mmCIF file of all heavy atoms in Angstrom:
data_model
loop_
_atom_site.group_PDB
_atom_site.id
_atom_site.type_symbol
_atom_site.label_atom_id
_atom_site.label_comp_id
_atom_site.label_asym_id
_atom_site.label_seq_id
_atom_site.Cartn_x
_atom_site.Cartn_y
_atom_site.Cartn_z
ATOM 1 N N LEU R 1 13.968 -2.482 4.927
ATOM 2 C CA LEU R 1 13.035 -2.100 3.863
ATOM 3 C C LEU R 1 13.171 -3.103 2.720
ATOM 4 O O LEU R 1 14.247 -3.279 2.126
ATOM 5 C CB LEU R 1 13.335 -0.672 3.341
ATOM 6 C CG LEU R 1 13.357 0.413 4.443
ATOM 7 C CD1 LEU R 1 13.616 1.776 3.790
ATOM 8 C CD2 LEU R 1 12.092 0.375 5.231
ATOM 9 N N ARG R 2 12.043 -3.770 2.360
ATOM 10 C CA ARG R 2 12.153 -4.924 1.451
ATOM 11 C C ARG R 2 11.338 -4.815 0.160
ATOM 12 O O ARG R 2 11.577 -5.557 -0.771
ATOM 13 C CB ARG R 2 11.724 -6.212 2.212
ATOM 14 C CG ARG R 2 12.724 -6.621 3.292
ATOM 15 C CD ARG R 2 12.207 -7.746 4.162
ATOM 16 N NE ARG R 2 11.728 -8.857 3.402
ATOM 17 C CZ ARG R 2 10.878 -9.750 3.836
ATOM 18 N NH1 ARG R 2 10.326 -9.618 5.056
ATOM 19 N NH2 ARG R 2 10.497 -10.774 3.077
ATOM 20 N N HIS R 3 10.340 -3.927 0.133
ATOM 21 C CA HIS R 3 9.613 -3.798 -1.110
ATOM 22 C C HIS R 3 9.008 -2.419 -1.254
ATOM 23 O O HIS R 3 8.888 -1.679 -0.261
ATOM 24 C CB HIS R 3 8.531 -4.874 -1.306
ATOM 25 C CG HIS R 3 7.398 -4.794 -0.321
ATOM 26 N ND1 HIS R 3 6.555 -3.716 -0.239
ATOM 27 C CD2 HIS R 3 6.965 -5.662 0.591
ATOM 28 C CE1 HIS R 3 5.611 -3.950 0.660
ATOM 29 N NE2 HIS R 3 5.847 -5.124 1.201
ATOM 30 N N ASP R 4 8.633 -2.030 -2.478
ATOM 31 C CA ASP R 4 7.992 -0.772 -2.716
ATOM 32 C C ASP R 4 6.495 -0.864 -2.495
ATOM 33 O O ASP R 4 5.899 -1.949 -2.657
ATOM 34 C CB ASP R 4 8.223 -0.295 -4.175
ATOM 35 C CG ASP R 4 9.676 0.069 -4.416
ATOM 36 O OD1 ASP R 4 10.391 0.411 -3.445
ATOM 37 O OD2 ASP R 4 10.087 0.047 -5.611
ATOM 38 N N VAL R 5 5.875 0.237 -2.154
ATOM 39 C CA VAL R 5 4.404 0.372 -2.112
ATOM 40 C C VAL R 5 4.037 1.504 -3.045
ATOM 41 O O VAL R 5 4.624 2.617 -2.957
ATOM 42 C CB VAL R 5 3.919 0.660 -0.671
ATOM 43 C CG1 VAL R 5 2.450 0.937 -0.689
ATOM 44 C CG2 VAL R 5 4.195 -0.528 0.237
ATOM 45 N N HIS R 6 3.099 1.208 -3.950
ATOM 46 C CA HIS R 6 2.629 2.217 -4.909
ATOM 47 C C HIS R 6 1.260 2.740 -4.475
ATOM 48 O O HIS R 6 0.307 1.970 -4.310
ATOM 49 C CB HIS R 6 2.540 1.576 -6.306
ATOM 50 C CG HIS R 6 3.855 1.077 -6.835
ATOM 51 N ND1 HIS R 6 4.619 1.802 -7.703
ATOM 52 C CD2 HIS R 6 4.549 -0.055 -6.608
ATOM 53 C CE1 HIS R 6 5.726 1.142 -8.007
ATOM 54 N NE2 HIS R 6 5.692 0.010 -7.332
ATOM 55 N N PHE R 7 1.162 4.059 -4.304
ATOM 56 C CA PHE R 7 -0.116 4.680 -3.881
ATOM 57 C C PHE R 7 -0.868 5.177 -5.091
ATOM 58 O O PHE R 7 -0.328 5.411 -6.178
ATOM 59 C CB PHE R 7 0.185 5.851 -2.949
ATOM 60 C CG PHE R 7 0.886 5.530 -1.710
ATOM 61 C CD1 PHE R 7 2.025 6.202 -1.332
ATOM 62 C CD2 PHE R 7 0.459 4.491 -0.868
ATOM 63 C CE1 PHE R 7 2.742 5.863 -0.160
ATOM 64 C CE2 PHE R 7 1.128 4.139 0.301
ATOM 65 C CZ PHE R 7 2.257 4.836 0.652
ATOM 66 N N THR R 8 -2.172 5.319 -4.908
ATOM 67 C CA THR R 8 -3.001 5.901 -5.954
ATOM 68 C C THR R 8 -2.591 7.345 -6.200
ATOM 69 O O THR R 8 -2.469 8.141 -5.267
ATOM 70 C CB THR R 8 -4.492 5.876 -5.516
ATOM 71 O OG1 THR R 8 -4.856 4.557 -5.180
ATOM 72 C CG2 THR R 8 -5.396 6.434 -6.590
ATOM 73 N N GLU R 9 -2.349 7.674 -7.481
ATOM 74 C CA GLU R 9 -1.983 9.040 -7.840
ATOM 75 C C GLU R 9 -3.039 10.036 -7.363
ATOM 76 O O GLU R 9 -4.234 9.850 -7.705
ATOM 77 C CB GLU R 9 -1.776 9.183 -9.341
ATOM 78 C CG GLU R 9 -0.545 8.473 -9.878
ATOM 79 C CD GLU R 9 0.727 9.283 -9.653
ATOM 80 O OE1 GLU R 9 0.611 10.474 -9.285
ATOM 81 O OE2 GLU R 9 1.818 8.735 -9.891
ATOM 82 N N GLY R 10 -2.621 10.997 -6.548
ATOM 83 C CA GLY R 10 -3.581 12.015 -6.051
ATOM 84 C C GLY R 10 -4.445 11.526 -4.899
ATOM 85 O O GLY R 10 -5.323 12.221 -4.484
ATOM 86 N N GLY R 11 -4.167 10.306 -4.406
ATOM 87 C CA GLY R 11 -4.990 9.716 -3.319
ATOM 88 C C GLY R 11 -4.573 10.231 -1.944
ATOM 89 O O GLY R 11 -3.639 11.081 -1.823
ATOM 90 N N VAL R 12 -5.211 9.695 -0.945
ATOM 91 C CA VAL R 12 -4.967 10.130 0.412
ATOM 92 C C VAL R 12 -3.529 9.866 0.869
ATOM 93 O O VAL R 12 -2.858 10.779 1.392
ATOM 94 C CB VAL R 12 -5.959 9.421 1.376
ATOM 95 C CG1 VAL R 12 -5.561 9.684 2.845
ATOM 96 C CG2 VAL R 12 -7.387 9.857 1.135
ATOM 97 N N PHE R 13 -2.998 8.681 0.639
ATOM 98 C CA PHE R 13 -1.624 8.353 1.048
ATOM 99 C C PHE R 13 -0.608 9.120 0.235
ATOM 100 O O PHE R 13 0.428 9.528 0.767
ATOM 101 C CB PHE R 13 -1.390 6.869 0.985
ATOM 102 C CG PHE R 13 -1.896 6.093 2.169
ATOM 103 C CD1 PHE R 13 -3.206 5.623 2.239
ATOM 104 C CD2 PHE R 13 -1.059 5.860 3.284
ATOM 105 C CE1 PHE R 13 -3.652 4.947 3.371
ATOM 106 C CE2 PHE R 13 -1.501 5.189 4.383
ATOM 107 C CZ PHE R 13 -2.815 4.709 4.440
ATOM 108 N N HIS R 14 -0.889 9.324 -1.044
ATOM 109 C CA HIS R 14 0.009 10.150 -1.830
ATOM 110 C C HIS R 14 0.130 11.521 -1.254
ATOM 111 O O HIS R 14 1.222 12.097 -1.121
ATOM 112 C CB HIS R 14 -0.563 10.224 -3.286
ATOM 113 C CG HIS R 14 0.349 10.914 -4.262
ATOM 114 N ND1 HIS R 14 -0.009 11.121 -5.568
ATOM 115 C CD2 HIS R 14 1.588 11.472 -4.131
ATOM 116 C CE1 HIS R 14 0.972 11.750 -6.199
ATOM 117 N NE2 HIS R 14 1.952 11.958 -5.333
ATOM 118 N N GLY R 15 -0.981 12.091 -0.775
ATOM 119 C CA GLY R 15 -0.977 13.385 -0.168
ATOM 120 C C GLY R 15 -0.215 13.420 1.150
ATOM 121 O O GLY R 15 0.541 14.351 1.424
ATOM 122 N N VAL R 16 -0.415 12.390 1.966
ATOM 123 C CA VAL R 16 0.277 12.328 3.268
ATOM 124 C C VAL R 16 1.792 12.167 3.049
ATOM 125 O O VAL R 16 2.568 12.857 3.723
ATOM 126 C CB VAL R 16 -0.295 11.158 4.090
ATOM 127 C CG1 VAL R 16 0.604 10.900 5.295
ATOM 128 C CG2 VAL R 16 -1.706 11.456 4.559
ATOM 129 N N MET R 17 2.197 11.287 2.158
ATOM 130 C CA MET R 17 3.604 10.962 1.976
ATOM 131 C C MET R 17 4.338 11.989 1.098
ATOM 132 O O MET R 17 5.562 12.068 1.125
ATOM 133 C CB MET R 17 3.760 9.550 1.348
ATOM 134 C CG MET R 17 3.148 8.460 2.212
ATOM 135 S SD MET R 17 3.996 8.311 3.817
ATOM 136 C CE MET R 17 3.025 6.945 4.518
ATOM 137 N N GLY R 18 3.561 12.656 0.198
ATOM 138 C CA GLY R 18 4.245 13.514 -0.763
ATOM 139 C C GLY R 18 4.955 12.730 -1.820
ATOM 140 O O GLY R 18 5.837 13.256 -2.531
ATOM 141 N N ALA R 19 4.590 11.454 -2.009
ATOM 142 C CA ALA R 19 5.224 10.584 -2.996
ATOM 143 C C ALA R 19 4.225 9.513 -3.399
ATOM 144 O O ALA R 19 3.411 9.053 -2.587
ATOM 145 C CB ALA R 19 6.476 9.940 -2.426
ATOM 146 N N ALA R 20 4.309 9.093 -4.642
ATOM 147 C CA ALA R 20 3.442 8.045 -5.141
ATOM 148 C C ALA R 20 4.009 6.651 -4.940
ATOM 149 O O ALA R 20 3.260 5.661 -5.076
ATOM 150 C CB ALA R 20 3.120 8.245 -6.628
ATOM 151 N N LYS R 21 5.290 6.601 -4.625
ATOM 152 C CA LYS R 21 5.950 5.285 -4.351
ATOM 153 C C LYS R 21 6.883 5.451 -3.199
ATOM 154 O O LYS R 21 7.648 6.404 -3.115
ATOM 155 C CB LYS R 21 6.704 4.811 -5.595
ATOM 156 C CG LYS R 21 7.357 3.450 -5.420
ATOM 157 C CD LYS R 21 8.082 2.992 -6.651
ATOM 158 C CE LYS R 21 9.391 3.740 -6.842
ATOM 159 N NZ LYS R 21 10.214 3.144 -7.975
ATOM 160 N N VAL R 22 6.790 4.491 -2.216
ATOM 161 C CA VAL R 22 7.680 4.489 -1.064
ATOM 162 C C VAL R 22 8.208 3.056 -0.886
ATOM 163 O O VAL R 22 7.689 2.114 -1.454
ATOM 164 C CB VAL R 22 6.968 4.957 0.214
ATOM 165 C CG1 VAL R 22 6.448 6.388 0.048
ATOM 166 C CG2 VAL R 22 5.825 4.004 0.575
ATOM 167 N N ARG R 23 9.220 2.947 -0.039
ATOM 168 C CA ARG R 23 9.789 1.626 0.260
ATOM 169 C C ARG R 23 9.587 1.344 1.737
ATOM 170 O O ARG R 23 9.796 2.198 2.611
ATOM 171 C CB ARG R 23 11.285 1.567 -0.071
ATOM 172 C CG ARG R 23 11.795 0.165 -0.139
ATOM 173 C CD ARG R 23 13.035 0.026 -1.053
ATOM 174 N NE ARG R 23 13.484 -1.352 -1.182
ATOM 175 C CZ ARG R 23 13.010 -2.226 -2.056
ATOM 176 N NH1 ARG R 23 12.036 -1.875 -2.875
ATOM 177 N NH2 ARG R 23 13.471 -3.459 -2.140
ATOM 178 N N THR R 24 9.118 0.119 2.046
ATOM 179 C CA THR R 24 8.739 -0.236 3.393
ATOM 180 C C THR R 24 9.301 -1.579 3.813
ATOM 181 O O THR R 24 9.778 -2.361 2.970
ATOM 182 C CB THR R 24 7.189 -0.310 3.523
ATOM 183 O OG1 THR R 24 6.721 -1.491 2.822
ATOM 184 C CG2 THR R 24 6.521 0.917 2.947
ATOM 185 N N ASN R 25 9.189 -1.844 5.124
ATOM 186 C CA ASN R 25 9.467 -3.184 5.607
ATOM 187 C C ASN R 25 8.246 -4.070 5.389
ATOM 188 O O ASN R 25 7.207 -3.611 4.942
ATOM 189 C CB ASN R 25 9.858 -3.152 7.131
ATOM 190 C CG ASN R 25 8.818 -2.457 7.991
ATOM 191 O OD1 ASN R 25 7.620 -2.677 7.839
ATOM 192 N ND2 ASN R 25 9.289 -1.593 8.894
ATOM 193 N N THR R 26 8.363 -5.352 5.697
ATOM 194 C CA THR R 26 7.216 -6.249 5.573
ATOM 195 C C THR R 26 7.394 -7.412 6.534
ATOM 196 O O THR R 26 8.418 -8.079 6.516
ATOM 197 C CB THR R 26 7.042 -6.722 4.150
ATOM 198 O OG1 THR R 26 5.894 -7.544 4.030
ATOM 199 C CG2 THR R 26 8.269 -7.466 3.592
ATOM 200 N N LEU R 27 6.407 -7.586 7.422
ATOM 201 C CA LEU R 27 6.495 -8.613 8.465
ATOM 202 C C LEU R 27 5.136 -9.227 8.753
ATOM 203 O O LEU R 27 4.678 -9.280 9.871
ATOM 204 C CB LEU R 27 7.065 -7.988 9.793
ATOM 205 C CG LEU R 27 8.467 -7.393 9.755
ATOM 206 C CD1 LEU R 27 8.448 -5.915 9.403
ATOM 207 C CD2 LEU R 27 9.165 -7.583 11.080
ATOM 208 N N HIS R 28 4.444 -9.649 7.717
ATOM 209 C CA HIS R 28 3.112 -10.168 7.934
ATOM 210 C C HIS R 28 2.893 -11.439 7.083
ATOM 211 O O HIS R 28 3.550 -11.639 6.043
ATOM 212 C CB HIS R 28 2.019 -9.159 7.567
ATOM 213 C CG HIS R 28 2.026 -8.756 6.104
ATOM 214 N ND1 HIS R 28 1.095 -9.288 5.220
ATOM 215 C CD2 HIS R 28 2.802 -7.898 5.411
ATOM 216 C CE1 HIS R 28 1.329 -8.767 4.015
ATOM 217 N NE2 HIS R 28 2.366 -7.909 4.113
ATOM 218 N N GLY R 29 2.005 -12.310 7.540
ATOM 219 C CA GLY R 29 1.639 -13.533 6.810
ATOM 220 C C GLY R 29 0.327 -13.419 6.101
ATOM 221 O O GLY R 29 0.162 -13.920 4.951
ATOM 222 N N GLN R 30 -0.657 -12.800 6.759
ATOM 223 C CA GLN R 30 -1.971 -12.682 6.161
ATOM 224 C C GLN R 30 -2.123 -11.330 5.433
ATOM 225 O O GLN R 30 -1.268 -10.454 5.506
ATOM 226 C CB GLN R 30 -3.064 -12.800 7.283
ATOM 227 C CG GLN R 30 -3.011 -14.159 7.990
ATOM 228 C CD GLN R 30 -4.245 -14.437 8.783
ATOM 229 O OE1 GLN R 30 -4.887 -13.518 9.289
ATOM 230 N NE2 GLN R 30 -4.563 -15.706 8.910
ATOM 231 N N GLY R 31 -3.224 -11.200 4.687
ATOM 232 C CA GLY R 31 -3.486 -9.970 3.982
ATOM 233 C C GLY R 31 -4.924 -9.931 3.493
ATOM 234 O O GLY R 31 -5.685 -10.917 3.640
ATOM 235 N N ILE R 32 -5.290 -8.817 2.919
ATOM 236 C CA ILE R 32 -6.701 -8.602 2.481
ATOM 237 C C ILE R 32 -7.035 -9.551 1.324
ATOM 238 O O ILE R 32 -6.334 -9.648 0.356
ATOM 239 C CB ILE R 32 -6.941 -7.164 2.053
ATOM 240 C CG1 ILE R 32 -6.945 -6.280 3.328
ATOM 241 C CG2 ILE R 32 -8.254 -7.024 1.318
ATOM 242 C CD1 ILE R 32 -7.158 -4.796 2.993
ATOM 243 N N LYS R 33 -8.156 -10.265 1.477
ATOM 244 C CA LYS R 33 -8.713 -11.086 0.430
ATOM 245 C C LYS R 33 -9.829 -10.274 -0.294
ATOM 246 O O LYS R 33 -9.735 -10.026 -1.480
ATOM 247 C CB LYS R 33 -9.282 -12.366 1.018
ATOM 248 C CG LYS R 33 -9.959 -13.312 0.048
ATOM 249 C CD LYS R 33 -10.441 -14.552 0.779
ATOM 250 C CE LYS R 33 -11.063 -15.566 -0.194
ATOM 251 N NZ LYS R 33 -11.560 -16.779 0.579
ATOM 252 N N GLN R 34 -10.851 -9.909 0.454
ATOM 253 C CA GLN R 34 -11.920 -9.080 -0.075
ATOM 254 C C GLN R 34 -11.981 -7.823 0.818
ATOM 255 O O GLN R 34 -12.075 -7.900 2.044
ATOM 256 C CB GLN R 34 -13.259 -9.805 0.008
ATOM 257 C CG GLN R 34 -14.449 -9.010 -0.515
ATOM 258 C CD GLN R 34 -14.377 -8.792 -2.040
ATOM 259 O OE1 GLN R 34 -14.029 -9.704 -2.790
ATOM 260 N NE2 GLN R 34 -14.657 -7.561 -2.476
ATOM 261 N N ALA R 35 -11.914 -6.685 0.181
ATOM 262 C CA ALA R 35 -11.975 -5.427 0.923
ATOM 263 C C ALA R 35 -13.419 -5.199 1.400
ATOM 264 O O ALA R 35 -14.367 -5.516 0.668
ATOM 265 C CB ALA R 35 -11.525 -4.237 0.037
ATOM 266 N N GLY R 36 -13.577 -4.665 2.605
ATOM 267 C CA GLY R 36 -14.891 -4.278 3.074
ATOM 268 C C GLY R 36 -15.545 -3.266 2.190
ATOM 269 O O GLY R 36 -14.838 -2.518 1.438
ATOM 270 N N PRO R 37 -16.893 -3.158 2.196
ATOM 271 C CA PRO R 37 -17.622 -2.261 1.287
ATOM 272 C C PRO R 37 -17.127 -0.832 1.313
ATOM 273 O O PRO R 37 -17.173 -0.134 0.312
ATOM 274 C CB PRO R 37 -19.043 -2.406 1.775
ATOM 275 C CG PRO R 37 -19.136 -3.728 2.366
ATOM 276 C CD PRO R 37 -17.812 -3.956 3.043
ATOM 277 N N ARG R 38 -16.651 -0.350 2.488
ATOM 278 C CA ARG R 38 -16.195 1.068 2.574
ATOM 279 C C ARG R 38 -14.686 1.186 2.599
ATOM 280 O O ARG R 38 -14.166 2.292 2.763
ATOM 281 C CB ARG R 38 -16.823 1.732 3.798
ATOM 282 C CG ARG R 38 -18.311 1.888 3.747
ATOM 283 C CD ARG R 38 -18.850 2.537 5.011
ATOM 284 N NE ARG R 38 -18.319 3.874 5.235
ATOM 285 C CZ ARG R 38 -18.527 4.576 6.339
ATOM 286 N NH1 ARG R 38 -19.236 4.099 7.318
ATOM 287 N NH2 ARG R 38 -17.983 5.774 6.474
ATOM 288 N N ILE R 39 -13.978 0.071 2.450
ATOM 289 C CA ILE R 39 -12.515 0.111 2.524
ATOM 290 C C ILE R 39 -11.961 0.510 1.147
ATOM 291 O O ILE R 39 -12.264 -0.122 0.145
ATOM 292 C CB ILE R 39 -11.956 -1.265 2.928
ATOM 293 C CG1 ILE R 39 -12.326 -1.561 4.388
ATOM 294 C CG2 ILE R 39 -10.436 -1.303 2.730
ATOM 295 C CD1 ILE R 39 -11.724 -0.623 5.400
ATOM 296 N N VAL R 40 -11.123 1.556 1.168
ATOM 297 C CA VAL R 40 -10.449 1.978 -0.072
ATOM 298 C C VAL R 40 -9.030 1.451 0.003
ATOM 299 O O VAL R 40 -8.301 1.831 0.929
ATOM 300 C CB VAL R 40 -10.446 3.510 -0.210
ATOM 301 C CG1 VAL R 40 -9.652 3.926 -1.465
ATOM 302 C CG2 VAL R 40 -11.854 4.036 -0.282
ATOM 303 N N ILE R 41 -8.643 0.631 -0.951
ATOM 304 C CA ILE R 41 -7.233 0.191 -1.026
ATOM 305 C C ILE R 41 -6.486 1.216 -1.780
ATOM 306 O O ILE R 41 -6.651 1.386 -2.984
ATOM 307 C CB ILE R 41 -7.142 -1.192 -1.706
ATOM 308 C CG1 ILE R 41 -7.938 -2.246 -0.881
ATOM 309 C CG2 ILE R 41 -5.673 -1.637 -1.823
ATOM 310 C CD1 ILE R 41 -7.956 -3.625 -1.546
ATOM 311 N N ASP R 42 -5.624 1.972 -1.098
ATOM 312 C CA ASP R 42 -4.979 3.154 -1.657
ATOM 313 C C ASP R 42 -3.486 2.916 -1.928
ATOM 314 O O ASP R 42 -2.801 3.805 -2.393
ATOM 315 C CB ASP R 42 -5.106 4.342 -0.657
ATOM 316 C CG ASP R 42 -4.995 5.659 -1.308
ATOM 317 O OD1 ASP R 42 -5.395 5.792 -2.481
ATOM 318 O OD2 ASP R 42 -4.508 6.600 -0.642
ATOM 319 N N GLY R 43 -2.994 1.683 -1.624
ATOM 320 C CA GLY R 43 -1.594 1.349 -1.908
ATOM 321 C C GLY R 43 -1.430 -0.136 -2.004
ATOM 322 O O GLY R 43 -2.033 -0.923 -1.289
ATOM 323 N N HIS R 44 -0.559 -0.556 -2.930
ATOM 324 C CA HIS R 44 -0.253 -1.970 -3.158
ATOM 325 C C HIS R 44 1.236 -2.196 -3.192
ATOM 326 O O HIS R 44 2.004 -1.310 -3.608
ATOM 327 C CB HIS R 44 -0.844 -2.439 -4.513
ATOM 328 C CG HIS R 44 -2.325 -2.431 -4.591
ATOM 329 N ND1 HIS R 44 -3.030 -1.282 -4.887
ATOM 330 C CD2 HIS R 44 -3.213 -3.438 -4.467
ATOM 331 C CE1 HIS R 44 -4.312 -1.605 -4.928
ATOM 332 N NE2 HIS R 44 -4.467 -2.881 -4.659
ATOM 333 N N ALA R 45 1.631 -3.381 -2.762
ATOM 334 C CA ALA R 45 3.006 -3.849 -2.928
ATOM 335 C C ALA R 45 3.230 -4.194 -4.391
ATOM 336 O O ALA R 45 2.309 -4.268 -5.209
ATOM 337 C CB ALA R 45 3.320 -5.037 -2.033
ATOM 338 N N GLU R 46 4.482 -4.468 -4.749
ATOM 339 C CA GLU R 46 4.829 -4.794 -6.131
ATOM 340 C C GLU R 46 4.108 -6.043 -6.652
ATOM 341 O O GLU R 46 3.861 -6.158 -7.852
ATOM 342 C CB GLU R 46 6.336 -5.049 -6.218
ATOM 343 C CG GLU R 46 7.172 -3.822 -5.771
ATOM 344 C CD GLU R 46 8.581 -4.211 -5.359
ATOM 345 O OE1 GLU R 46 8.978 -5.365 -5.594
ATOM 346 O OE2 GLU R 46 9.294 -3.340 -4.812
ATOM 347 N N ASP R 47 3.733 -6.956 -5.745
ATOM 348 C CA ASP R 47 3.067 -8.204 -6.168
ATOM 349 C C ASP R 47 1.569 -8.075 -6.125
ATOM 350 O O ASP R 47 0.831 -9.065 -6.270
ATOM 351 C CB ASP R 47 3.514 -9.356 -5.282
ATOM 352 C CG ASP R 47 3.164 -9.200 -3.808
ATOM 353 O OD1 ASP R 47 2.635 -8.146 -3.458
ATOM 354 O OD2 ASP R 47 3.422 -10.155 -3.044
#
């Protein structure tokens, strides 16, 4: 586990996890540049 993820207060992931902040692993090089029109970004890393 290498960084925190902050969820939207009262959002979908907050509801699923029962927490607004969790700690996760990270093993990726690419990431979202522009979200699709219907994509809701419900959690962000510290950066």
Side-chain angles (χ1 to χ4, degrees):
L1 305 183
R2 291 171 52 203
H3 67 61
D4 292 337
V5 173
H6 298 262
F7 301 127
T8 304
E9 289 280 351
V12 171
F13 277 88
H14 187 182
V16 169
M17 300 296 179
K21 183 179 76 171
V22 300
R23 195 154 184 86
T24 71
N25 55 44
T26 183
L27 299 91
H28 65 99
Q30 299 195 331
I32 289 180
K33 179 179 181 180
Q34 181 68 43
R38 294 178 62 187
I39 293 295
V40 177
I41 300 176
D42 204 32
H44 294 82
E46 302 158 10
D47 63 356

